[in-house]
Amino acid sequence: ENRNYRLPLPVPGAVRIPGLHLVLHTELFENTTVTEMSGDVYNRCVGFLDLDRFSGSLEVRNWRPGDQYQPEGRTAAEKIKVLFQEARIPLWERRHWPLITAGDIILWARRFGPAASFAAGSTAGPVLGIRETEA
């Protein structure tokens, strides 16, 4: 079985993640909506990206050994494998773990959230909301 996937991520839109019972949804918001929705458990909002900080088309792909990025709240880039170990993510879930990328840059990782340099803040313009639902 091929464990690697790379799929275009429509904005706005949704994509089903191979190997998991998970769908990632992307939605466009004005920044005022971000603060209202950030604590909304019902909608399972799991991150907001500042649209002005990146360009190009987005893709969703699985985690691969060696991948690293700096999650919001961390002082430096971390290997995602280390984040998996800290969060006790089982080995069998890691191989299908979704990441959102723009080219070779990781913008967001499931459960770990947006990359610090691309996260929407209070001064952001339009933002991209990312949420997940069960498939």
Side-chain angles (χ1 to χ4, degrees):
E1 176 186 349
N2 184 2
R3 296 179 180 166
N4 291 328
Y5 63 87
R6 173 169 255 149
L7 305 167
L9 183 63
V11 176
V15 65
R16 184 172 181 178
I17 304 303
L20 296 175
H21 299 288
L22 181 73
V23 177
L24 284 184
H25 302 266
T26 58
E27 301 172 72
L28 298 173
F29 297 102
E30 291 300 319
N31 195 24
T32 54
T33 312
V34 171
T35 54
E36 296 169 9
M37 292 185 64
S38 60
D40 190 349
V41 177
Y42 176 76
N43 284 320
R44 295 184 59 158
C45 286
V46 292
F48 294 96
L49 298 172
D50 184 341
L51 284 173
D52 293 334
R53 293 187 185 176
F54 62 91
S55 62
S57 59
L58 299 179
E59 292 183 323
V60 61
R61 69 167 176 84
N62 64 301
W63 164 80
R64 296 182 185 139
D67 280 341
Q68 62 180 339
Y69 86 125
Q70 182 180 348
E72 205 174 10
R74 298 274 179 145
T75 58
E78 296 272 357
K79 284 195 172 185
I80 294 176
K81 179 181 179 179
V82 171
L83 300 174
F84 285 152
Q85 292 167 341
E86 290 174 1
R88 298 180 185 233
I89 305 298
L91 290 172
W92 58 89
E93 286 186 27
R94 297 177 188 184
R95 71 185 76 165
H96 300 289
W97 203 262
L99 307 174
I100 294 176
T101 62
D104 292 333
I105 300 169
I106 297 173
L107 304 175
W108 175 90
R110 181 181 186 209
R111 191 165 175 183
F112 309 120
S117 55
F118 300 100
S122 60
T123 60
V127 298
L128 176 67
I130 303 160
R131 66 181 173 90
E132 61 182 59
T133 59
E134 290 186 23

